[in-house]
Amino acid sequence: MKRDPLNGHVFCFRGRRGDLLKVIWHDGQAASLYVRRLEKGRFLWPSPADGVVAITPAQMGYLLSGIDWRNPVETWRPTAIG
């Protein structure tokens, strides 16, 4: 991937079925692994350019939640009672 894992980059890997996501990062002292599996649905994976994808922290939050980060749509909004 030609990226330095000790430089603060976050590496994400999706399982074959698309319902498993593994995130690896190094915080300067140790490497950490975060694993997330969706009970329903699939993680929407961006199309890589040269094997690398750059997304914003907000897009990463959507990705980890299983939300379509390319076009997030508010599906429900709380309303005031009374």
Side-chain angles (χ1 to χ4, degrees), residues 27-44:
D27 64 3
Q29 295 182 3
S32 299
L33 172 67
Y34 176 79
V35 178
R36 179 144 176 123
R37 182 182 302 272
L38 293 176
E39 291 183 19
K40 293 181 180 180
R42 304 241 184 288
F43 290 105
L44 295 172

Side-chain angles (χ1 to χ4, degrees), residues 7 10 14 17-18 28-29 45 50-51 55 59 64 67 76:
N7 198 17
V10 176
R14 187 180 74 158
R17 293 183 302 196
Q29 295 182 3
W45 206 245
D50 299 327
I55 60 175
Q59 290 170 326
L64 292 174
I67 298 171
W76 177 80

